Amino acid sequence: QARHEAAQYSLYALMLLSPLRDPKAMVTIDAIKGEVAVTHPAAPPTVLVFAKDGTLKSARNMVPATDGKGPPIHQVIRFEGDMVSRGVHWPRHIVISQDGKPYYDLKLETFEAS
């Protein structure tokens, strides 16, 4: 369960893009598709997909099974809207599906970076 949760929360760090500056991170950019593939020791390999305007549109990765025994879970994360606080952009709506099934749906009313 702990490995699963750590993998889930690592997505938020990747969304900020700051871990991409870590020398341990491996980043591959496909400018035509608007995709950034990230391998970082603190997160599962993740592909971040950006819209033409530079906003984060979606992501995909595989996280460990919650019981630690089953096969990895394929996630697709969709981001909608954009809120800005102190120069930090954050999606207004985050939707996660796991193995093609709804898993998480969060709509934010406010956002404040501190």
Side-chain angles (χ1 to χ4, degrees):
Q1 181 70 30
R3 286 181 55 230
H4 175 81
E5 290 298 318
Q8 287 295 103
Y9 283 106
S10 70
L11 173 66
Y12 298 123
L14 293 179
M15 289 167 59
L16 291 171
L17 305 179
S18 55
L20 280 60
R21 296 176 34 182
D22 185 331
K24 297 175 193 161
M26 293 177 45
V27 178
T28 304
I29 299 171
D30 183 332
I32 294 171
K33 291 183 180 178
E35 295 184 350
V36 177
V38 181
T39 303
H40 189 282
T46 301
V47 175
L48 303 169
V49 182
F50 293 86
K52 292 196 185 297
D53 67 0
T55 58
L56 189 56
K57 183 168 71 171
S58 66
R60 61 186 183 274
N61 63 16
M62 306 262 302
V63 295
T66 55
D67 65 4
K69 299 174 186 172
I73 300 166
H74 180 257
Q75 293 194 129
V76 174
I77 304 100
R78 194 177 76 238
F79 307 106
E80 297 173 357
D82 185 46
M83 301 189 304
V84 182
S85 172
R86 299 181 184 184
V88 176
H89 290 258
W90 200 255
R92 182 173 298 280
H93 190 191
I94 301 171
V95 178
I96 301 175
S97 65
Q98 290 188 334
D99 291 334
K101 297 176 186 150
Y103 173 73
Y104 183 78
D105 190 328
L106 175 68
K107 292 179 184 174
L108 299 174
E109 296 294 323
T110 62
F111 167 70
E112 185 175 334
S114 56

